[in-house]
Amino acid sequence: MKLIKRIWRWFKRTFIVLFIAQLAYVVALKWINPPITITQLVSLVQEHGIEKEYVPLSEMSVNAGLAVIASEDQLFPDHNGFDWKSIQKALDYNQKKPGRVRGGSTISQQTAKNVFLWQGRSWIRKGLETYFTFMIEKIWGKKRILEVYLNVAETGKGIFGMEKAAQTYFGKSVKELSQSQAAAIAAALPNPKKYSVKPMSPYVSARSKKIVQQMNFLRPDRDIQAIISDK
């Protein structure tokens, strides 16, 4: 019994320490840029390297934020981190076609995964993703979530963030990205190792045109403008 009590006390103390540590890290990242992510470490192990350069949202072209919202999560300003209708559609699709996998993740969920967790699909990771999504929605807010996403998202083999993508693919900074260029980068986000921006794959070419159409539709939206603008 004594051994069991000791193990239980050790478990509780370890849990409390880890909980406080992760909470402090989440809060700190509201102002501090993520130093490195698990996905970036995997990129190093796979010998793709890490190319990244952090740029504040205020120094990015509004096209960068608008493109990923148009491409990945058009309800980003309105939800609390989860788009339940899209999640249900993804679940229904995956049940009907188990050989294919369709995601329903919001930008908030993707940011939580990219910053705190690993790639892949498991119920454990999905549970942790839900927790961290809830936390960053409450602590960071939409502008910070979008800023971090635009800086940590994998945009090519060993390339992370919109700034390095802009430099690599178009020889310019993210501040200078045109609508079509931002859309091309966003088009590759579902699988940046598979879909090439330069040379542009047929998939990226076709999808980027659709994203541009959605960008034109969403641009006047005041809620979106409040997030992507530097005001």
Side-chain angles (χ1 to χ4, degrees):
M1 288 295 294
K2 288 184 179 180
L3 179 60
I4 294 175
K5 287 182 178 179
R6 286 179 182 176
I7 294 173
W8 178 242
R9 282 198 300 268
W10 175 86
F11 177 81
K12 286 196 297 183
R13 288 173 183 172
T14 302
F15 176 82
I16 291 170
V17 169
L18 290 176
F19 180 80
I20 293 173
Q22 63 80 27
L23 180 59
Y25 188 57
V26 173
V27 173
L29 291 185
K30 181 177 174 67
W31 300 280
I32 300 171
N33 304 330
I36 197 166
T37 68
I38 295 175
T39 303
Q40 291 169 357
L41 288 174
V42 170
S43 180
L44 272 180
V45 172
Q46 294 177 340
E47 298 184 346
H48 295 313
I50 300 176
E51 292 186 54
K52 60 176 183 174
E53 186 174 334
Y54 196 94
V55 176
L57 189 63
S58 60
E59 297 179 15
M60 293 187 187
S61 165
V62 294
N63 289 321
L66 185 59
V68 299
I69 290 174
S71 171
E72 301 290 296
D73 184 4
Q74 295 189 11
L75 297 179
F76 180 62
D78 306 314
H79 60 61
N80 63 351
F82 306 94
D83 181 354
W84 298 111
K85 288 184 178 180
S86 293
I87 291 172
Q88 187 58 54
K89 286 181 180 178
L91 290 172
D92 293 342
Y93 179 89
N94 295 339
Q95 287 179 349
K96 292 178 181 177
K97 299 183 179 181
R100 305 178 186 178
V101 179
R102 177 178 176 179
S105 296
T106 63
I107 287 175
S108 302
Q109 288 175 277
Q110 292 180 55
T111 303
K113 176 185 67 176
N114 289 338
V115 173
F116 302 103
L117 304 169
W118 60 94
Q119 305 297 317
R121 297 180 181 275
S122 70
W123 288 112
I124 293 176
R125 201 224 67 189
K126 208 64 182 174
L128 290 171
E129 179 186 296
T130 300
Y131 168 77
F132 282 113
T133 299
F134 174 81
M135 294 298 287
I136 64 175
E137 278 279 339
K138 293 296 183 183
I139 296 173
W140 292 6
K142 296 292 187 180
K143 270 184 174 286
R144 179 59 176 168
I145 290 172
L146 181 63
E147 179 178 284
V148 173
Y149 178 74
L150 292 172
N151 279 284
V152 302
E154 191 171 19
T155 50
K157 288 185 179 180
I159 304 171
F160 295 87
M162 295 292 281
E163 173 64 19
K164 273 300 177 182
Q167 293 177 11
T168 302
Y169 303 133
F170 303 110
K172 58 175 64 176
S173 72
V174 66
K175 182 74 172 178
E176 303 169 308
L177 278 181
S178 68
Q179 182 169 261
S180 60
Q181 290 167 343
I185 297 173
L189 286 176
N191 195 335
K193 290 179 180 176
K194 177 181 179 181
Y195 304 127
S196 173
V197 177
K198 187 177 181 180
M200 190 174 292
S201 68
Y203 171 86
V204 170
S205 178
R207 188 162 187 255
S208 63
K209 292 174 184 176
K210 294 179 181 178
I211 293 172
V212 167
Q213 292 176 346
Q214 291 301 306
M215 290 171 72
N216 289 330
F217 176 74
L218 295 172
R219 194 178 292 275
D221 189 287
R222 292 181 179 180
D223 294 331
I224 291 177
Q225 280 296 327
I227 296 172
I228 65 176
S229 68
D230 58 359
K231 297 179 181 179

